[in-house]
Structures are given as C-alpha cells and as structure tokens.
Amino acid sequence: MMRLPVKSLMQFRSVSKAWKSLIDSSEFVAAQSVLHTHPHHLFVWYKDPRGEIKYVSFLDDDSFPQQRFVPTLPLSVKLPRIVGSSHGLLCLDGYHWDPETSEINFKKRLAVVCNPSIRKSIAFVVPDILYARQEIVLAFGVCPVTIDPKIIQITQLPSWMDKKTEISNLWKVEVYSFRSGKWKSLSTNLPSNSIRIRQPQVVIDKFIYWCSSCIDSGLRTHNLIMSFDMTDESFKVVDLPECLASHPFARLSVSKLGESLVMLQYNINTEEQVWCDVWIMVNGAQVSFTKQYTIKGQRGSIKAVGFRKSGGPIMEVDDYLSEPTQLVVYEPNSGHCDDPIRGYSFNVNSYMETLLMFGRSDCSSY
C-alpha cells in the first residue's frame, strides 16, 4: 500500500478506521517517505520579467514539461528563498508577514518547512545574529535514520573581514530538530575558522554538502567540500582533485544527480564562450571524482541549476541577445532541449510525494 501515490493514500483513509489508523501511523509515514518509487516533481523558483517572484512545479516524468502547476505556498512567509528539499519537504527562508496589516516584518526571519503534496507547513523563528557583519548559511535536511527534519543555521564572519577581531569563535552552529522542538548550539566538531561555506546545499542520504574554500597557513586558498552528518551532527571535509581544488571558487558549485553529489566546474575562453564540466563523486574506500561530460554553451553564459530524474541537466541560459534568460532542459544522449520558462535567477529543487508532517498537531494547512 505504501507504494501508492499520496493522493490515493489520502482518499483511502476514509475507507475504514483500520486503514485510517494504518496510514496515519508514524511508522507508515516514515516507511513511505524513504521509498524512491513515488512521483518526482521539479519545484522551480524564479523571477519573471517584471522582477516578481514566481513558482511552478513540473511532474518529472516522460510527460515533461507538459504537466505543470502553480503550487500553493504558506502565507506566513514573504520574499522567500528556497533553502533546499529532502524527503518530499521544502524549506523556505524569508520574513514574517502579518495578514491583518499586510505588512512584512523584516526583523523577524522565518524558516518555513512545507509538504506541497499534502499542503501542510510549519514555521520557525530563526535565531538572531550577534554581529551585523556575520553571514548566515541556512540548511535543511531530513535524517534518514530517525526521519527527523532538521534546520541548521551556520553563522560565520565574511571572508573579507580581518581575522584579528574581538570575536574569538568565528563559527556558530545552531540546529533545530522537529523531534525535540527546540534549537540547540553545537560546541564540538565545528569546522576550522579558515573555512568558508557557500550556498547552495545538496542533501544525499544522511549528509548535507556545500562547496567551500579554505585558507591554509601559507595564505593560499583552495577549494573543498564540507559535509554535515545529520545523524551525529558533525562536520567533515571532503577533498577535491587538484583541478577542482585550485579552480576559481566563484566558478564552482554543487548539485545532485540521482543520489550522487555533483561538482559543476565552469570555464570561459577568450571568446567568452562558457562551458560546464560535470563531475560526480564516487564513494568507495576512498572518495574520488569522475568527470561525466561537458555542457557547452553556443554563446553567452550558462548555469546548471539542477538535474532531472532522467539525468538531464537543467540550465539557465543567457545568450546576451534576448531578454529574459531561459530555463533549458538538455538531454545529453539525444541533444534535445526543452525551453519551458523565461525569467531570471532560477532555483530548482527536486522533491517526491510523501506523507511527512501529516498528522502533526503543530502543522498548519494552507
């Protein structure tokens, strides 16, 4: 039964008390959330040609991009940014909106976790930062062992600041666990002060990954991957091959292909032609990276913003000749391209249909 679509499961709850009790049980919800056979969707955040924030969700199957719909999001958060997705949940970062006054409170930051398949959400106030010049990286993931959603707030000094500062600890990490219902600060296993973490994030199994940089004792900068283990809440460094470790940091990014971490390496030639090398991380006795293929732009700039379930990269393309930019889905085997949306600043997150957060008393319907 747990392999059935979420919509069918919601309908079957009315068949009998026994079925309702089974589907509503935390054991059933947890087991259903870890299956990878459920329908997958691509949630696209972007700005339209007028600069307004828009959302659209595509069913990621053979019908793509015909089956699309505009998802309903919680009204409690305005000017939201997509933090990430995990186990069918989306995490948004924005500001509190008062429906009575229609005003945005820019002093009250919110993290909102929602399940678009069952239209349930829960909002949390994000802890304030202590110093104006600190940078915040917000992360989100669901621990696959405990099925416990977690929000991680990483506060770090910006890289341009003089390290001779009155702040003794340049890192502060706070974790909100749905299970505990409260924030806690981590005091051990924190990254080195010389490491800078940059969004976006990628969630694979029990790890959250970021592209990062580090300044060594010789004041040389090199790139690396920083991971956060959601089971024991510890950080770990993943080394990159030399060609990626020494590449300009601004031309690197992380993404996800299936259940594998991907490194995106951008290059540009003298004719301003941009291409992107796609590297995939291979786990074994020793972690390694293998280059899968290269995506070449005809002219202008390209940026990989995600991958389809089939493996096709989703690109934001700016050919410098037309406005606005295009969201292009490229199939490496056939060379076919789809152009479903025009806009700016695309952000793509894949999610599958699950029942997570169903039945929680602290969740709101929207």
Side-chain angles (χ1 to χ4, degrees), residues 117-252:
S117 300
I118 60 175
R119 296 182 64 176
K120 293 282 187 178
S121 70
I122 185 170
F124 311 90
V125 177
V126 178
D128 292 331
I129 61 175
L130 297 177
Y131 300 90
R133 289 188 275 184
Q134 287 178 312
E135 295 176 345
I136 287 181
V137 174
L138 205 65
F140 170 75
V142 177
C143 177
V145 177
T146 61
I147 314 299
D148 183 16
K150 295 184 177 183
I151 299 172
I152 301 93
Q153 177 169 275
I154 302 170
T155 307
Q156 54 189 353
L157 286 177
S159 56
W160 49 264
M161 280 194 68
D162 184 358
K163 297 301 185 290
K164 295 180 179 179
T165 173
E166 72 277 9
I167 308 171
S168 59
N169 189 359
L170 306 186
W171 274 80
K172 182 179 181 182
V173 179
E174 296 163 288
V175 178
Y176 184 93
S177 162
F178 275 40
R179 178 164 293 183
S180 68
K182 59 184 179 181
W183 290 91
K184 70 175 180 180
S185 296
L186 302 185
S187 57
T188 59
N189 296 319
L190 298 183
S192 165
N193 284 341
S194 61
I195 292 178
R196 317 305 307 162
I197 284 180
R198 187 185 69 192
Q199 290 171 321
Q201 66 163 50
V202 170
V203 178
I204 298 173
D205 193 29
K206 63 178 182 177
F207 296 103
I208 302 176
Y209 295 97
W210 302 270
C211 191
S212 308
S213 65
C214 179
I215 300 177
D216 61 23
S217 57
L219 299 181
R220 294 183 299 269
T221 301
H222 65 276
N223 309 314
L224 50 89
I225 297 294
M226 180 60 68
S227 71
F228 179 77
D229 189 329
M230 289 182 281
T231 59
D232 60 11
E233 297 180 345
S234 64
F235 289 90
K236 184 180 179 181
V237 169
V238 179
D239 292 321
L240 293 170
E242 178 59 28
C243 62
L244 296 176
S246 59
H247 198 70
F249 185 53
R251 296 182 185 176
L252 288 178

Side-chain angles (χ1 to χ4, degrees), residues 74-78 95-105 108 110:
L75 296 176
S76 58
V77 62
K78 288 296 182 181
Y95 297 92
H96 181 264
W97 179 70
D98 188 338
E100 294 183 0
T101 62
S102 297
E103 293 182 351
I104 301 174
N105 186 351
K108 188 176 182 180
L110 292 180

